[in-house]
Amino acid sequence: MSATFRLPTGGLIDRDTALRFTFNGRSMTGHPGDTLASALLANGVHAIGTSVKYGRPRGIVAAGSEDPTSLVQIEQPFPEPMLTATTVELYDGLVAHGLPGQGRLASEPDPARYDAKHVHCDVLVVGAGPAGLVAALTAARGGARVVVVDEQNQAGGALLGTREYLGERLSQDWAADIAAELRNTPGVLVLDRTTAFGVYQDGFVLALQRRTDHLGFDAPADAARQRVWRIRAKQTVLATGAHERPVVFADNDRPGIMLAGSARTFLHRYGVLPGTRAVVFTTDDSAYRAAIDLARAGMDVAMVVDARPAAPSVLAARCSARGIQVRAGHVVTGTEGGARITDAHVAPLPGTEGNPETVDCDTLLVSGGWNPVVHLFSQARGTLRYDSELGAFVPGEELPTVRVAGSATGALDLTSCLRQGRDAGHAAALAAGFAPVGEVELPVSGARTDERPGMVLWRVPGELREGAPDTRFVDLQRDATVSDVLRATGAGLRSLEHVKRYTTIGTAHDQGKTSGMITAGLVAEELGVELSEQRPTTFRPPYTPVSFAALAGRDRGELHDPARVTALHPWHVARGALFEDVGQWKRPWYFPRTGEDMDTAVLRECRAAREGVALMDGSTLGKIDLQGRDAGRFLDMLYTNKMSALKVGRIRYGVMCGVDGMVIDDGTVIRLAEDRFLVTTTTGNAAMVLDWMEEWLQTEWPHLDVYATSVTEHWATIPLVGPRSRDVLAELAPDLDVGNEAFGFMTWRDTVLDVGAGVPARVCRISFSGELAYEVNVTAWHGLAVWEALMAEGEKYGITPYGTETMHVLRAEKGYPIVGQETDATVTPQDLGMSWAVSKKKADFIGKRSHTRAENNRPDRKQLVGLLPVDPEIQLPEGAQVVGTDRLPDPPVPMLGHITSSYRSAALDRTFALAVVRSGHERVGETLYVPVGDDLVPVTVTESVLYDREGARRDG
Amino acid sequence: MQLIPCPWCGPREETEFHYGGQAHVAYPQDPAALTDEAWARYVFFRDNPSGPFAERWSHSAGCRRWFNAVRDTRTYDLLAVYDAGEPMPDLGERDEVVS
């Protein structure tokens, strides 16, 4: 089908190339330079989709990103929902359909690349319309590094949608000339298809560049599709233009009803007529130009309906000369039609003579004045001022680093826009430290300034017929009407922020670009207050929708977060270990043999550790080398027990609390020398503990001579566990007396392992399983060789590698808590039953004073206990609640606590759990209940230590 | 994104920094001598002024040094930065500073 509404000439499109596309199942063609919207209009298609609430047909209201209605779903080349047809550049093969207000995300991962780039500049200019171009040129000629970002695919801004002369040049060509000069100026970066969507502090601006979207299927796979520019500018000039404002009347939402300036843009930029016969409804002069241009291009413009009592005489005369009737003091009161407008009802305003009439038309062009685009200025914390002549909020006081130029200030004529652009560019360059050389000569604008000021009209007066549905739409995307606004004010809402939330006006993809100001006006009118007293709703980033993919950039998939692996990782992978994420670390979870599920593998691994010998990779344990004269004193403050008294060669378990007395970490402290300790932390808290140390050392006790260094990754740490661990170590450490007398529990020895040419090792008698155990520490470089040597040496004892799951079971059988699993930020060492690790003698340590607070001594605090399900086969879910009765009372059900750990134990030959329970320590022996699904599982409370209570096994 | 002037590294983006709450809240000399209420004040109570506020910051993804800053909580403007342990600088005729 030929594009019947495409004019034979004109527009910034490449007519020699045809692009095929499919919309709502219909095949059509357009040209490079088209948007999907302009190509659809060229094919006579106005109805895009249906509205979200009422299912009413909706069309294309505006030509740019402010359009509230033309939501489409792209199907090919890649599914993408909720784009506006007015911002999708046409490409060959595009398949799309209109949306009923909601879209569908792709079910497959987006194959495109996204990235980010940083740029610093002296002057950032947002918007390459007339004001922005002159501002950029002025600053650039003064030597400033300038970045220009513009939303469109070419410079010109509003000039692209008009056909006027600047000096001798057609305004579109003038814009192209300036853009070319800027591109050829060293130190100037011009980014088109780039929307500045957020302005933040200290000159930071985020902009989204659509680099390959317009190429469709031809987009190169290796080029980033979209790029987020992170711009840091000393000075910013906002030349963001203005959006035309509609007027609200009955049935103002039919396809074919469009903003007048946008119709002019479709004509001049794309060579498209919006229909065959138009009525123009306006409150200002600008729509006359649209009427005259469209009539000149061959459209039948039936009538200009001007709400002002008198029409501008020169423009009205030009209309009459073209056979366009002009009705001053008249308004459009309603429309007829279905998927397209068919008639406009025109009536005189009170005080104007005339009769209501109905004018047949397929296009109704509306103009209610212009709203400066103040979004970015407001984001920059600029205050806004209501301009009663414009009926819009305009930038108030200038900011030190952010200036506004052009129609974004409320300027309506081209000459003022150009002058403001030059002034802003000059001032910005000056403020950034540049003295501009000479003045940029401004071209003379041929466009006339307005003859008459516009009239502020939010909605056509008139009452709704009793019982009739309100079709006076304020926010077309949210299907919100005048009645909805009145309902909000009727409910007592005064603030625009509240009205916005009550009505949802301004919360759709367009964020109320065409509806926000009208809402403010309606509210003020209804409340009888001045708009100057109303605060507009906050403009928040992003200015236009930005995909999460673009914000994520390269930080997705394996680049989302670094994965840390130990020196032994390749061995674990080769042995088929399953991995668990602990912080950023990949830790072996368990090592299944062929045919084993997790339960079977873990039971086997546990049995090996308790009955033979087993080993695990403990390298992820946080390790901090603490040196200095006062290291012992410092540790005394950090840990609940006394570390300064620890003898060189010995090890002590320590608990660390916050000032509130709650447990924040635990680990062991090894004394290497009088002035040197090695502190271990839990895997997930290593960074936090180092920060904690630095905070106290730098801010509270800078007089202490202590230096803390993270050495976590220097070491490979291998706990060798089980009754036969001594035999294995003895073989590999010939110089080390591994006997209990010479090498007792909680001591460490340095030795050289008989591995290769000899590997220096530090061996610690630490046990996190309750079994005889030696923690073998070697440099990470030697880790794999030592691990393999231990595996080989232990083979005759059936040495078994185990993972974190087995580690958890073994420690839980012994009642050893895991910080962050048994504890949250409300658990004291006393709650854990670890008063033994809290010094009574020390004058102070962090948290000590809190331990004597009444709240921390209540007998009904939640305390760590063991729970044995009466049925030894039932494994309780972690996180399950604990209650005291065998049937649930009516809610609220008193909760006694919750399960923190739950496992199946090989050693106990049954299931068991750890839990924090109110007054738990006193409840040992009691039966409590755990709701699981519809059942209440009876459990017996026990001490938290369930295996080897005497500690007989630790010495082998 | 705000720039924070680290006294050691110069202005850096705020994501490199870690916030440490109100400055000049010293760890009590002798916690044991404090009443429960006085101790709870130290642990739980902080000022929340609308205006200049002396705060602790750490350049945690940079030089890892702690320092103090006076920030206007209404504008986020950093009015002064100074070393941890130093008294707050005189900001002249500004609004009353809460520390």
Side-chain angles (χ1 to χ4, degrees):
Chain A
M1 176 176 176
S2 65
T4 50
F5 289 88
R6 182 85 68 184
L7 292 165
T9 57
L12 304 169
I13 52 169
D14 171 13
R15 288 166 188 273
D16 296 335
T17 308
L19 303 176
R20 288 155 302 152
F21 71 100
T22 305
F23 186 77
N24 284 351
R26 187 180 144 194
S27 298
M28 290 171 259
T29 59
H31 299 292
D34 262 326
T35 61
L36 176 56
S38 68
L40 287 169
L41 292 176
N43 286 277
V45 176
H46 273 255
I48 300 295
T50 50
S51 74
V52 68
K53 209 154 91 189
Y54 302 127
R56 291 171 66 98
R58 293 283 162 79
I60 296 165
V61 170
S65 62
E66 74 273 29
D67 183 46
T69 49
S70 69
L71 282 183
V72 297
Q73 164 99 30
I74 305 294
E75 291 295 353
Q76 285 182 31
F78 186 80
E80 191 169 8
M82 299 294 276
L83 300 178
T84 43
T86 53
T87 59
V88 174
E89 290 187 51
L90 194 69
Y91 45 83
D92 200 51
L94 173 70
V95 177
H97 62 80
L99 284 175
Q102 286 176 340
R104 177 181 57 78
L105 286 171
S107 50
E108 67 262 48
D110 185 349
R113 274 193 186 192
Y114 301 82
D115 69 8
K117 205 162 171 176
H118 293 255
V119 64
H120 293 254
C121 63
D122 300 307
V123 178
L124 167 68
V125 178
V126 180
L133 286 172
V134 172
L137 192 63
T138 305
R141 286 194 183 163
R145 291 172 305 162
V146 176
V147 173
V148 185
V149 300
D150 186 80
E151 192 173 37
Q152 302 296 322
N153 61 359
Q154 56 190 309
L159 300 178
L160 300 175
T162 61
R163 199 177 162 80
E164 287 162 5
Y165 279 85
L166 279 170
E168 303 286 296
R169 298 284 279 164
L170 195 60
S171 55
Q172 296 170 347
D173 298 337
W174 173 85
D177 293 347
I178 305 285
E181 179 178 346
L182 286 169
R183 281 181 207 279
N184 290 328
T185 306
V188 175
L189 177 66
V190 180
L191 298 170
D192 50 25
R193 296 189 173 96
T194 305
T195 307
F197 64 82
V199 172
Y200 305 84
Q201 281 168 299
D202 295 324
F204 190 63
V205 176
L206 290 179
L208 180 76
Q209 183 183 26
R210 294 164 296 278
R211 299 176 74 238
T212 68
D213 289 29
H214 61 290
L215 300 176
F217 288 90
D218 295 333
D222 58 350
R225 179 191 177 207
Q226 295 179 352
R227 172 173 291 163
V228 172
W229 286 84
R230 306 165 65 90
I231 305 163
R232 183 74 71 174
K234 286 186 188 154
Q235 291 281 318
T236 301
V237 176
L238 300 175
T240 44
H243 290 147
E244 197 162 24
R245 182 172 67 234
V247 180
V248 176
F249 48 86
D251 294 310
N252 59 340
D253 63 329
R254 298 191 198 285
I257 302 177
M258 183 181 283
L259 289 165
S262 294
R264 205 173 171 213
T265 297
F266 283 118
L267 168 67
H268 293 303
R269 185 166 172 187
Y270 305 105
V272 170
L273 288 182
T276 52
R277 183 173 157 86
V279 169
V280 179
F281 174 29
T282 186
T283 65
D284 67 5
D285 284 6
S286 69
Y288 283 85
R289 299 200 181 92
I292 293 163
D293 286 0
L294 287 164
R296 187 188 284 154
M299 193 167 176
D300 175 9
V301 181
M303 184 183 284
V304 173
V305 181
D306 192 331
R308 295 172 293 181
S313 50
V314 175
L315 288 169
R318 286 175 64 193
C319 285
S320 300
R322 294 199 169 269
I324 306 170
Q325 303 183 64
V326 176
R327 295 275 189 283
H330 280 61
V331 290
V332 170
T333 56
T335 68
E336 301 293 329
R340 183 78 184 263
I341 181 174
T342 57
D343 300 275
H345 299 302
V346 178
L349 281 169
T352 302
E353 287 192 14
N355 295 312
E357 52 195 314
T358 296
V359 186
D360 69 299
C361 59
D362 63 359
T363 308
L364 173 57
L365 305 181
V366 182
S367 176
W370 296 83
N371 294 330
V373 177
V374 294
H375 300 62
L376 298 183
F377 183 74
S378 175
Q379 287 179 24
R381 299 180 152 250
T383 53
L384 303 178
R385 174 176 64 76
Y386 179 68
D387 183 318
S388 58
E389 276 186 23
L390 293 174
F393 288 106
V394 298
E397 280 176 45
E398 211 162 62
L399 298 169
T401 59
V402 181
R403 283 149 227 284
V404 188
S407 54
T409 66
L412 291 173
D413 66 287
L414 193 47
T415 304
S416 303
C417 290
L418 292 167
R419 196 179 312 123
Q420 288 185 1
R422 183 177 63 188
D423 292 349
H426 182 91
L430 213 58
F434 296 85
V437 280
E439 283 209 331
V440 173
E441 201 179 322
L442 298 181
V444 177
S445 166
R448 278 195 205 86
T449 52
D450 286 0
E451 293 175 52
R452 289 181 172 280
M455 167 185 175
V456 177
L457 181 67
W458 311 120
R459 63 159 167 140
V460 169
E463 293 308 309
L464 194 61
R465 200 155 35 83
E466 188 79 29
D470 194 354
T471 58
R472 299 167 299 173
F473 289 97
V474 177
D475 186 331
L476 271 65
Q477 186 50 231
R478 285 292 187 235
D479 265 350
T481 63
V482 172
S483 296
D484 291 320
V485 176
L486 300 185
R487 209 168 287 127
T489 52
L493 304 181
R494 294 288 179 273
S495 140
L496 293 176
E497 294 284 1
H498 292 159
V499 173
K500 172 180 175 176
R501 280 149 186 81
Y502 193 84
T503 59
T504 73
I505 289 173
T507 60
H509 71 280
D510 60 330
Q511 293 283 288
K513 290 186 178 69
T514 54
S515 58
M517 194 59 234
I518 292 174
T519 308
L522 292 175
V523 169
E525 221 167 64
E526 190 60 22
L527 298 178
V529 299
E530 292 297 317
L531 258 169
S532 51
E533 292 160 27
Q534 283 276 25
R535 229 165 70 177
T537 54
T538 309
F539 294 96
R540 294 191 181 84
Y543 169 70
T544 47
V546 178
S547 73
F548 282 107
L551 293 175
R554 296 288 175 99
D555 300 336
R556 54 193 264 198
E558 61 177 11
L559 297 180
H560 174 59
D561 200 28
R564 299 174 75 184
V565 296
T566 71
L568 308 176
H569 190 73
W571 193 93
H572 307 323
V573 172
R575 283 296 279 263
L578 277 81
F579 290 89
E580 178 182 29
D581 289 335
V582 183
Q584 291 169 329
W585 287 103
K586 298 284 174 199
R587 299 199 70 179
W589 191 13
Y590 58 98
F591 292 84
R593 288 182 180 164
T594 311
E596 278 185 339
D597 61 7
M598 175 160 138
D599 276 358
T600 321
V602 170
L603 287 171
R604 171 180 52 74
E605 291 173 11
C606 285
R607 219 173 283 121
R610 294 253 183 257
E611 294 170 10
V613 60
L615 78 180
M616 76 170 302
D617 184 354
S619 307
T620 63
L621 217 61
K623 290 173 275 291
I624 297 167
D625 189 346
L626 210 62
Q627 300 187 42
R629 251 188 346 267
D630 300 313
R633 267 177 75 195
F634 179 57
L635 287 172
D636 280 351
M637 286 303 292
L638 234 49
Y639 283 98
T640 58
N641 43 5
K642 202 162 171 77
M643 295 300 178
S644 58
L646 191 65
K647 290 187 170 56
V648 174
R650 299 198 64 88
I651 302 169
R652 186 162 289 167
Y653 169 78
V655 179
M656 202 178 271
C657 292
V659 287
D660 59 0
M662 303 303 156
V663 175
I664 58 171
D665 199 54
D666 71 343
T668 55
V669 174
I670 296 168
R671 187 153 209 170
L672 299 171
E674 276 308 311
D675 61 353
R676 188 170 184 188
F677 295 82
L678 186 80
V679 175
T680 69
T681 74
T682 53
T683 294
N685 276 344
M688 181 279 285
V689 172
L690 187 70
D691 286 347
W692 184 242
M693 289 178 171
E694 283 294 341
E695 180 179 342
W696 288 97
L697 283 173
Q698 290 183 36
T699 66
E700 288 293 338
W701 304 313
H703 56 282
L704 293 184
D705 178 45
V706 182
Y707 302 88
T709 309
S710 169
V711 294
T712 301
E713 292 181 30
H714 298 196
W715 296 91
T717 299
I718 307 169
L720 185 66
V721 177
R724 308 313 294 262
S725 58
R726 182 172 282 147
D727 301 318
V728 176
L729 183 63
E731 295 283 343
L732 269 189
D735 301 335
L736 185 67
D737 184 344
V738 296
N740 211 36
E741 295 297 312
F743 190 3
F745 187 58
M746 294 305 261
T747 63
W748 61 269
R749 297 289 180 268
D750 279 348
T751 188
V752 175
L753 299 180
D754 186 15
V755 175
V759 174
R762 176 167 300 144
V763 183
C764 303
R765 276 216 44 205
I766 298 171
S767 179
F768 196 43
S769 58
E771 295 299 322
L772 173 68
Y774 298 85
E775 187 191 88
V776 181
N777 295 277
V778 295
T779 61
W781 178 255
H782 289 115
L784 193 54
V786 169
W787 175 276
E788 284 173 342
L790 287 166
M791 284 300 298
E793 202 58 51
E795 194 180 352
K796 54 183 170 292
Y797 305 109
I799 193 167
T800 303
Y802 67 94
T804 51
E805 190 66 17
T806 290
M807 174 190 81
H808 278 135
V809 178
L810 296 174
R811 65 88 205 175
E813 288 169 347
K814 290 290 293 177
Y816 298 152
I818 297 234
V819 174
Q821 181 157 341
E822 269 64 42
T823 71
D824 49 27
T826 68
V827 178
T828 64
Q830 295 83 0
D831 296 336
L832 293 173
M834 296 176 92
S835 299
W836 57 267
V838 181
S839 167
K840 307 272 188 299
K841 291 181 202 152
K842 283 198 293 187
D844 194 24
F845 57 83
I846 296 169
K848 180 180 171 76
R849 179 64 186 80
S850 287
H851 290 160
T852 57
R853 290 183 70 231
E855 177 63 29
N856 291 339
N857 288 285
R858 288 163 52 138
D860 64 343
R861 286 186 64 81
K862 289 181 183 172
Q863 296 162 333
L864 183 68
V865 292
L867 295 182
L868 294 173
V870 171
D871 178 345
E873 287 304 311
I874 295 180
Q875 190 177 344
L876 299 166
E878 289 174 355
Q881 294 289 330
V882 180
V883 299
T885 50
D886 63 356
R887 69 187 56 188
L888 290 180
D890 288 333
V893 178
M895 302 292 187
L896 296 180
H898 66 274
I899 310 285
T900 58
S901 295
S902 175
Y903 307 103
R904 191 172 291 277
S905 166
L908 305 173
D909 193 24
R910 55 159 303 134
T911 60
F912 72 104
L914 297 177
V916 286
V917 174
R918 287 205 180 283
S919 312
H921 295 161
E922 288 175 15
R923 289 182 189 269
V924 171
E926 278 184 31
T927 300
L928 298 176
Y929 300 87
V930 177
V932 180
D934 292 332
D935 297 327
L936 274 178
V937 178
V939 296
T940 308
V941 182
T942 73
E943 288 173 30
S944 56
V945 185
L946 289 150
Y947 181 71
D948 182 31
R949 289 210 173 115
E950 312 74 35
R953 304 188 60 82
R954 66 163 207 220
D955 290 330
Chain B
M1 187 189 316
Q2 188 164 14
L3 293 176
I4 295 177
C6 170
W8 303 94
C9 308
R12 292 288 187 275
E13 296 199 340
E14 64 180 278
T15 49
E16 294 183 17
F17 294 83
H18 179 80
Y19 181 63
Q22 184 173 359
H24 308 296
V25 182
Y27 186 78
Q29 281 283 327
D30 183 6
L34 297 182
T35 61
D36 275 3
E37 195 194 333
W39 175 251
R41 285 223 156 259
Y42 163 72
V43 177
F44 299 116
F45 286 71
R46 293 295 182 270
D47 295 327
N48 184 24
S50 171
F53 188 40
E55 302 170 329
R56 305 185 317 152
W57 286 86
S58 162
H59 192 191
S60 47
C63 65
R64 296 186 58 74
R65 297 301 298 174
W66 282 86
F67 60 94
N68 290 337
V70 181
R71 186 177 62 104
D72 191 322
T73 59
R74 296 166 301 188
T75 60
Y76 302 159
D77 287 343
L78 284 157
L79 308 177
V81 294
Y82 53 103
D83 284 355
E86 278 187 8
M88 196 178 61
D90 183 10
L91 293 172
E93 290 298 299
R94 290 186 177 276
D95 302 5
E96 189 190 346
V97 177
V98 181
S99 65

